[in-house]
Amino acid sequence: MHTPQRPGPLLLGTAFAVGVAADILLRAFPPGAGWTACILILGAAPLALGALLGAPPARDSLVAALAGALCALGITLRDSPPLAFLNVCGALGACALMTARTRTRTLHRTSLYELGHATLVHIVHAVAGAGFLLARELGPVRGGQPGRKNTVAAVVRGCAVAVPAIALFGSLFASADDAFRAIAGKLMDFDFGTLLSHALLTCTVAWTTAGFLRGALVADEVPAPVTLRESFFSLGIVEIGMLLGLLDALFLLFVSLQIPYLFGGAATVAGTPSLTFAGYFRKGFFELTAVSCLTLVTLLLADWLLRKETPRATRIFRSLAAITLVLLGVIMASAWQRFFLYLDAYGLTELRVYAAASLTVMGLVAGWFAWSVLTGRRQLFAGGAIAAAYAVVAALTVINPDALIARINIARAAAGKPLDVAYVSRLSADADAELIGGLALLPPADASALARNLLRFGDAEAGADPRTWNIARRRALGAVRESRKLLEEFAAVEPSHNHAQE
């Protein structure tokens, strides 16, 4: 295969095409098929160019590309804004992972520190890489044949010469002939602000894409990151042992206080005068989730900083870390217990769903830490932790959080518990089928309010932009149209004061 000696024009042309595609596809909201297509184009660009330049992707890169493609498709599959945000982040992260230039060249054996270094290199290239490409392409051809011209530089110089001349002669012709002036006026009749907006988006995406592609495909080899622990700072088993030992004592004290609530459940919370369900959850769940995250960070740092001078030091560290993980498991169980108590008392919301998802990620990562780091396979930790995060995002996409929220809250309302009608009415189109199916289970006033909102959704989506096409919204619109007569019957009931959910 012929590899271009000067790949700059190919990278710049591809980046400009991606910028134009982004300007066309990303301007429609809410996100839908346009966003999916744009992200797939961005992800396909380095794979296609790598093949052209003689740098086919590795197996791990293809796995990352598949994960990114699934995240991109999730934007079109679901309508929930938080889930769309997670899928966009996952897709862009996969683009970075599949082009990460690491020392091992295999993502599943790359450390967190080296992945962080590769991410920083990506950012530097995205910000400044396009400048190096342009400087090289606008400069003289090195080692070229005498008289050979740089096409890119020639085009730029040609524009610089032609545009002023065209403007001068065009203004003279417009002054000399009314018909020409009318035609020129129509050609120049555009909104400068709109044109500037399109130019800024196109150029911004093209600039960052060009730098990203340069860093991923043609930049010089990235130097290995400096091992800070060996160069500057490390700790012995005495210091690390004191840290983990005191943490274990603190965790044990907290766990001993949580045992009555873990085994007593709702009765214990209700029997404690200073506690309410809302306070027990709000003042505990998120703090315990933060504890889980910080504990894992602390264990990783401790393992990184520890001078493993003797097998005994390694055994002591692993024993103390294992005790920390066991106690952390009890703390996570306490967080889950708070979550389910609050769910039973007040129902489900998006915040609670994604908080529970984050705790799930922490649990998976803690288990993976025990299997990898504490068994001497630290190099596998980063890949497994990233895979756990992608697995939870994929599970959320399959579960459909908004539909789950609607289903659980309607079931609670059918059992006589209050329903926050205003909240469930604001859920995305993912929940509409559940809401329509549950109208008959609700009090007349609640059903009326929900039916009115669903009818407004059906009217608003009638002329949607094709770029916002979304499977969930399409199905919801079809369900609203099929059930329009039923919805109008429910909506005819005059709504009264709705119950509020805490």
Side-chain angles (χ1 to χ4, degrees), residues 106-359:
T106 54
L107 291 176
H108 71 282
R109 290 185 174 273
T110 301
S111 68
L112 278 176
Y113 180 62
E114 194 171 359
L115 279 179
H117 176 265
T119 301
L120 180 61
V121 170
H122 266 317
I123 294 173
V124 172
H125 279 298
V127 172
F132 289 101
L133 274 178
L134 288 173
R136 180 175 180 179
E137 293 308 315
L138 294 178
V141 178
R142 298 177 182 177
Q145 298 177 356
R148 180 182 173 186
K149 294 182 180 180
N150 187 333
T151 304
V152 175
V155 170
V156 173
R157 291 192 296 269
C159 290
V161 172
V163 170
I166 293 296
L168 174 61
F169 287 105
S171 63
L172 292 174
F173 286 144
S175 299
D177 185 81
D178 291 340
F180 184 85
R181 182 169 63 249
I183 294 174
K186 290 181 180 179
L187 291 176
M188 299 299 293
D189 185 17
F190 55 82
D191 184 350
F192 180 76
T194 301
L195 179 64
L196 180 62
S197 173
H198 285 283
L200 284 176
L201 179 57
T202 300
C203 292
T204 300
V205 174
W207 178 275
T208 55
T209 302
F212 166 72
L213 293 175
R214 177 186 181 274
L217 299 173
V218 301
D220 295 334
E221 186 69 21
V222 178
V226 177
T227 306
L228 296 178
R229 182 186 66 81
E230 296 177 357
S231 301
F232 300 104
F233 189 67
S234 62
L235 294 173
I237 189 57
V238 174
E239 298 94 327
I240 296 296
M242 289 180 63
L243 169 65
L244 296 185
L246 291 173
L247 276 180
D248 289 346
L250 178 63
F251 283 15
L252 183 60
L253 175 62
F254 180 82
V255 166
S256 65
L257 296 175
Q258 296 302 301
I259 290 176
Y261 301 106
L262 282 171
F263 292 98
T268 304
V269 176
T272 305
S274 60
L275 283 181
T276 64
F277 284 110
Y280 185 64
F281 176 82
R282 293 171 182 167
K283 295 182 180 180
F285 179 82
F286 295 104
E287 289 83 354
L288 295 183
T289 302
V291 165
S292 303
C293 179
L294 291 174
T295 301
L296 292 172
V297 172
T298 301
L299 290 175
L300 280 170
L301 285 175
D303 178 70
W304 183 60
L305 292 172
L306 176 64
R307 293 192 301 270
K308 301 177 179 65
E309 299 169 324
T310 63
R312 180 172 176 271
T314 301
R315 287 196 301 271
I316 292 174
F317 167 76
R318 291 178 179 176
S319 299
L320 291 172
I323 294 172
T324 304
L325 288 176
V326 171
L327 295 173
L328 180 62
V330 180
I331 291 173
M332 287 184 175
S334 176
W336 279 115
Q337 186 251 9
R338 292 167 188 254
F339 173 80
F340 286 115
L341 285 178
Y342 199 73
L343 174 63
D344 182 66
Y346 299 115
L348 194 59
T349 64
E350 282 184 313
L351 178 61
R352 294 160 204 167
V353 168
Y354 291 103
S358 67
L359 189 60

Side-chain angles (χ1 to χ4, degrees), residues 3 12 20 31 38 57 100 151 189 213 276 313 319 359 392 432-433 489 502:
T3 300
L12 289 171
V20 172
C38 184
T151 304
D189 185 17
L213 293 175
T276 64
S319 299
L359 189 60
V392 171
D432 283 3
E489 292 176 358
E502 287 200 41

